[in-house]
Amino acid sequence: MNLNMNSVESLVAQIQGLSGNIAELNQLRTYLKHSDDLLRAESPRLAPVLNELDPSVHSLGYLYILDACTSALVPKEQAKEFVLHIARFINVCAVEQIRLAPEKFISVCKRFKEHVLLLEDPIRGVAPLLTALRKLQMSSEQLTTLHPEFLLLCLLSKCYKTGLSILEDDIFEVDQPRDLFLYCYYGGLICIGQKQFRKALELLHNVVTAPMSIISAIAVEAYKKHILVSLIHLGQFSTGLPKYTSSAAQRNLKNFSQPYLELVNCYTTGNISDLEACVQSNKEKFETDNNLGLVKQVVSSLYKRNIQRLTQTYLTLSLQDIADSVHLNGPKEAEMHVLQMIQEGDIYATINQKDGMVRFLEDPEQYNSCEMIEHIDSSIQRIMMLSKKLTGMNEMMSCDPAYLGKAGRERQRFDFDDFDTVPTKFNI
Amino acid sequence: MASTSSSGLTFKLHPLVIVNISDHYTRVKSQSQSPAAVEGGGDGETSTPHLPSPPRVFGCVIGVQRGRTVEIFNSFELLYDPITHSLDRPFLEKKQELYKKVFPNFYILGWYSTGSDAQESDMVIHKALMDINESPVYVLLNPSVNPAQKDLPVTIYESELHVIDGTPQLIFGQASYTIETVEAERISVDHVAHLKPSDGGSAATQLAAHLTGIHSAIKMLNSRIRVLHHYLLAMQKGDIPCENSLLRQVSSLLRRLPAIESQKFQDDFLMEYNDTLLISYLAMFTNCSSTMNELVDKFNIAYDRHSRRGGRTAFI
């Protein structure tokens, strides 16, 4: 026992000594890796050791000791203490040092999340995890394992706006595929909560079309929500999946979401009563999937769709007629609906209150202002950047041995008079 | 030998003269080189082609002299006798008579030649011409192509009487000149400068050439405006003394723009601008979609085990 404590002391001395520059840090890291088992054996007694180290200077050593401390199951009181320690550590740690041991950092943060959930106070974890995320990312285009954890905490603590700030970044690099699935799914949920249906649709679409060799439960849930959000936002849903979807998804997803596809069929008819009947019949299934709230939004969006369809036929219409054709209860309700749609920008119209007539107008955007120039210009810049990235990826793909192997095999099936100077078989 | 002249005459040169001289030189050079090329081909054993020294061509320049301004309009060629080192006099006089009939105002102002620098033997020809014009000008064109050089390779020399070592001697002095153009000359020079590629070019290369021309023109305009702006700022701060004539010119330039200033013009202009931007945006979108499509196809071939392939599928 004493011998072990002595080694721990010497370890602490090493950490304090070797936290100077990058060469020393590499040395320290190898040393710490060797001492990992020792640390784990000593985990109950390591808590006071933390006080001897300064987290901002000795971040790497502190990280290893923290990891060893929290690896054992902790009772609730100690959890509070650890939460404080870890939060403080995340706020002051040195970025270069923790990037030397990313897996340890991720596991410490995961345990932090678990403790916070244990204490039933998820909001305490939101800010520290945001800092941790930013410190771990190499660039704002990288997705780390901490992203979905952070979004989960945001969802549980209802801090949707903080979550949205992370979702603004475009992701181009992913460490683990599972991270992407969870990140996009949680992100979709947050956007639905904030009523940003366009972004939610995009994120859920990413989950459904992401490459997967076998179908995953996350994808199935995302597909169900995708159907509902698509109905709310676009007013339609196409059952065909784009060609970049994995074949596993294309074949199996539909089997798991039968009630939702029935809902789609009822929606397209445009009949409110049919839709409500459909909802009633599948109510339990929607409830078990926690989607009943969304389904109710789908029903209310059908009114909007029908009113929008009226704009394509009529130039002016009385409120009474609107109420009749859309099966609303009266002109007052119709006025409320139309007003809300004008406010949200779904429709361009003026209501004449004297005779209860609604005039449908065209989109007043004339495209003759300087703000529009700036808007289009920024879009062009974004798409130029995207185009560069795409060409880069295309070139990388062309050099990929997996692709070259299969492309070579394909060539043998061409006609014999299709003479190619390129070799017909790639032996890689 | 060449220094700046101090006669105070202003020289104006027309592009026609420069084109004439260069055409003369090119013709003579190409005509004299072709027999040499034939010989080299027949020989088959010559290691390096023997380049003759570039021939010198000679001619006369004609124009008008009004007061202190000498304007050189046109030129014609002359025969040079290498033995007597003089120009063919009777020929010159005959040509002069012919040109006098067509252009009664033009006088022989001097002569031209090609080369890199004025030489001693040129003074002999110069003195010979002095009986026609008491102070002839000597226009020298440097035919060697120097891509780094930005100015025209044309120099105008005047003869001056200087006292050197006690004896009065005529030496050549360089004079500055400006280019003066008639409308017809401007159009033809512009046309020559923007020669289209010989194969007609696809629409893309023509568009690219057109846009490059516009781009360089705008760049030049931008840099000149910046110079003016800088100058005006310095004048405002007081670093340079105020020059009223320049200020008047700048103000008249500014008063010439804008041509139209009304709300309707603004609206139409912005709408057209937005339309062009939207079209470029659409073009980029299409480009991106096409790249994306290729990428997706490649990805499907590489990684998707049971991707649908058009045509015969593998028999596993």
Side-chain angles (χ1 to χ4, degrees), chain A residues 243-244 247 250 366-369 373 376 379-380 383-384 387 394 397-398 400 403 406 410 413, chain B residues 267 270-271 273-274 277 281 284 288 293-294 296-304 308-309 312:
Chain A
K243 72 173 177 179
Y244 47 86
S247 46
Q250 275 175 350
Q366 288 281 51
Y367 292 94
N368 59 355
S369 62
I373 293 181
I376 301 181
S379 307
I380 292 183
I383 211 172
M384 269 165 65
S387 172
N394 203 5
M397 199 69 210
S398 310
D400 192 342
Y403 166 69
K406 292 210 183 145
E410 283 230 343
R413 275 168 215 104
Chain B
D267 283 345
L270 286 175
M271 214 185 303
Y273 194 96
N274 273 321
L277 278 181
Y281 190 44
M284 300 184 110
C288 253
N293 190 32
E294 279 176 27
V296 165
D297 279 338
K298 289 190 180 147
F299 186 81
N300 278 343
I301 293 178
Y303 290 107
D304 215 8
R308 288 176 254 127
R309 275 177 273 174
R312 291 166 270 177

Side-chain angles (χ1 to χ4, degrees), chain B residues 140-260:
Chain B
L140 181 68
L141 176 82
N142 187 351
S144 55
V145 177
N146 186 358
Q149 194 181 14
K150 292 285 183 189
D151 306 326
L152 287 171
V154 176
T155 24
I156 295 190
Y157 292 103
E158 271 194 305
S159 60
E160 292 175 337
L161 205 57
H162 277 245
V163 178
I164 302 172
D165 305 329
T167 47
Q169 265 191 0
L170 277 176
I171 59 165
F172 281 128
Q174 236 181 2
S176 61
Y177 63 92
T178 53
I179 299 281
E180 183 89 6
T181 48
V182 180
E183 191 64 20
E185 284 173 324
R186 192 188 61 76
I187 294 173
S188 49
V189 168
D190 202 44
H191 195 74
V192 168
H194 292 145
L195 271 178
K196 293 206 172 68
S198 52
D199 57 347
S202 65
T205 50
Q206 279 185 348
L207 179 67
H210 178 244
L211 287 177
T212 327
I214 292 187
H215 175 247
S216 44
I218 293 181
K219 208 162 69 163
M220 205 190 299
L221 178 68
N222 193 13
S223 66
R224 295 210 173 149
I225 292 181
R226 204 172 304 166
V227 165
L228 268 181
H229 182 74
H230 200 70
Y231 181 73
L232 286 174
L233 275 177
M235 224 193 256
Q236 194 181 42
K237 270 194 285 188
D239 296 337
I240 333 175
C242 266
E243 215 181 297
N244 285 320
S245 64
L246 252 159
L247 283 176
R248 276 197 291 272
Q249 281 184 336
V250 172
S251 133
S252 76
L253 178 72
L254 288 175
R255 245 176 274 269
R256 271 190 266 169
L257 1 127
I260 322 176

Side-chain angles (χ1 to χ4, degrees), chain A residues 92-202:
Chain A
V92 302
C93 65
V95 175
E96 325 76 44
Q97 292 200 19
I98 52 163
R99 283 204 187 144
L100 288 173
E103 332 75 40
K104 289 270 177 218
F105 189 65
I106 290 174
S107 68
V108 164
C109 292
K110 277 201 179 139
R111 283 202 213 104
F112 172 66
K113 180 201 91 177
E114 283 161 19
H115 289 164
V116 157
L117 289 177
L118 196 67
L119 295 172
E120 285 167 17
D121 201 4
I123 200 163
R124 283 174 72 177
V126 172
L129 263 190
L130 181 58
T131 342
L133 204 154
R134 287 277 176 235
K135 285 195 176 168
L136 191 59
Q137 266 185 332
M138 298 289 182
S139 72
S140 68
E141 297 167 357
Q142 192 196 18
L143 186 72
T144 61
T145 326
L146 292 178
H147 278 81
E149 311 287 337
F150 169 69
L151 286 181
L152 181 62
L153 278 182
C154 285
L155 272 174
L156 289 172
S157 60
K158 304 223 187 313
C159 301
Y160 296 136
K161 288 227 173 63
T162 353
L164 270 181
S165 66
I166 286 288
L167 289 169
E168 299 283 323
D169 298 332
D170 292 323
I171 301 288
F172 286 109
E173 286 170 39
V174 177
D175 290 334
Q176 285 272 348
R178 191 159 171 272
D179 298 338
L180 181 70
F181 283 118
L182 282 174
Y183 171 77
C184 291
Y185 183 65
Y186 292 143
L189 291 183
I190 289 183
C191 291
I192 295 176
Q194 288 290 94
K195 298 240 183 297
Q196 289 198 6
F197 290 116
R198 194 189 62 86
K199 192 138 179 87
L201 199 62
E202 195 183 300

Side-chain angles (χ1 to χ4, degrees), chain B residues 10 15 27 31-32 114 117 124 167 224 236 260 267 269 299:
Chain B
T10 37
R27 242 185 305 124
Q31 281 168 359
S32 65
T114 56
D117 207 356
V124 179
T167 47
R224 295 210 173 149
Q236 194 181 42
I260 322 176
D267 283 345
F269 172 67
F299 186 81

Side-chain angles (χ1 to χ4, degrees), chain A residues 349-366:
Chain A
T350 50
I351 306 179
N352 191 336
Q353 298 225 312
K354 260 198 304 180
D355 49 5
M357 297 293 286
V358 179
R359 278 191 68 183
F360 298 121
L361 306 165
E362 293 272 328
D363 182 1
E365 176 61 60
Q366 288 281 51

Side-chain angles (χ1 to χ4, degrees), chain B residues 70-201:
Chain B
V70 178
E71 199 164 343
I72 307 176
F73 277 94
N74 207 343
S75 66
F76 57 85
E77 299 157 13
L78 288 176
L79 284 170
Y80 178 65
D81 193 356
I83 307 159
T84 59
H85 293 286
S86 65
L87 297 171
D88 190 349
R89 207 46 197 252
F91 181 72
L92 188 151
E93 277 164 15
K94 201 163 72 158
K95 277 290 245 212
Q96 188 183 9
E97 248 180 70
L98 290 173
Y99 270 91
K100 225 14 181 183
K101 285 200 195 130
V102 185
F103 304 108
N105 291 337
F106 291 176
Y107 292 97
I108 290 192
L109 291 177
W111 62 293
Y112 71 77
S113 177
T114 56
S116 47
D117 207 356
Q119 290 164 14
E120 294 287 343
S121 50
D122 294 344
M123 192 43 88
V124 179
I125 308 172
H126 203 80
K127 284 190 184 142
L129 270 180
M130 272 172 135
D131 58 343
I132 308 180
N133 187 327
E134 60 273 6
S135 165
V137 300
Y138 172 32
V139 180
L140 181 68
L141 176 82
N142 187 351
S144 55
V145 177
N146 186 358
Q149 194 181 14
K150 292 285 183 189
D151 306 326
L152 287 171
V154 176
T155 24
I156 295 190
Y157 292 103
E158 271 194 305
S159 60
E160 292 175 337
L161 205 57
H162 277 245
V163 178
I164 302 172
D165 305 329
T167 47
Q169 265 191 0
L170 277 176
I171 59 165
F172 281 128
Q174 236 181 2
S176 61
Y177 63 92
T178 53
I179 299 281
E180 183 89 6
T181 48
V182 180
E183 191 64 20
E185 284 173 324
R186 192 188 61 76
I187 294 173
S188 49
V189 168
D190 202 44
H191 195 74
V192 168
H194 292 145
L195 271 178
K196 293 206 172 68
S198 52
D199 57 347

